[in-house]
Amino acid sequence: MRRERTGVHGNLIDVRVDKTTSHVVVHISGELDMVTAPVVNTALDTATATSGDRALVIDLTALSFMGSTGLAMLLETRQRCVDNGRGFAVVSPSGSPPRRALEVTGLFPVMCVEETVTAGVRRTGMGWCVNGRTKPRPGG
């Protein structure tokens, strides 16, 4: 398995991208708001544009704050993955700030949210995640 790692660091946000032959995992730590969103958006755009058909897992485990800008970014990235037939999952442990934001806004049911990166990778490997449920890929 080939693994590639890149990273971007800012004052309030750090983004690290790990790529394997089947998955891209974007680890985001710090605070995701209007100020830090451009850094994260660029990383997500690059990850989706340069990763072929690999599944995307967004790890929010180390995120201490996520505002509405971050929620919108997750929705947009999820939609790009769905449109391109790529697996997609979000990692956000129970009780974490991002998970609470997803639950309070009603977005939790449409996202494929897992507790760990391993669970997110496993879920995206099983098929497409649509409205919180995993569905087998056609022909897969």
Side-chain angles (χ1 to χ4, degrees):
M1 170 173 22
R2 187 175 149 264
R3 184 175 295 268
E4 173 187 333
R5 178 174 280 182
T6 59
V8 178
H9 308 285
N11 287 337
L12 299 173
I13 196 86
D14 289 322
V15 180
R16 189 180 84 239
V17 179
D18 293 332
K19 295 180 182 180
T20 68
T21 54
S22 62
H23 289 81
V24 176
V25 181
V26 179
H27 305 272
I28 306 169
S29 60
E31 299 176 9
L32 179 50
D33 58 19
M34 287 175 43
V35 173
T36 60
V39 172
V40 176
N41 199 40
T42 298
L44 290 174
D45 285 348
T46 301
T48 55
T50 63
S51 300
D53 61 354
R54 288 181 270 192
L56 180 64
V57 177
I58 301 176
D59 179 14
L60 306 178
T61 302
L63 203 60
S64 59
F65 175 82
M66 183 170 66
S68 60
T69 303
L71 292 166
M73 196 178 308
L74 285 178
L75 278 173
E76 290 168 11
T77 303
R78 176 195 167 278
Q79 191 59 51
R80 280 197 309 263
C81 288
V82 169
D83 290 347
N84 292 313
R86 296 175 63 182
F88 175 83
V90 172
V91 176
S92 188
S94 296
S96 67
R99 182 118 171 198
R100 285 193 305 272
L102 289 166
E103 291 169 347
V104 168
T105 58
L107 295 175
F108 188 84
V110 300
M111 296 287 185
C112 287
V113 182
E114 293 291 343
E115 294 279 330
T116 66
V117 171
T118 301
V121 166
R122 185 174 40 249
R123 181 177 238 193
T124 60
M126 291 188 294
W128 288 321
C129 187
V130 179
N131 294 330
R133 295 176 187 254
T134 304
K135 298 187 178 200
R137 289 187 178 103

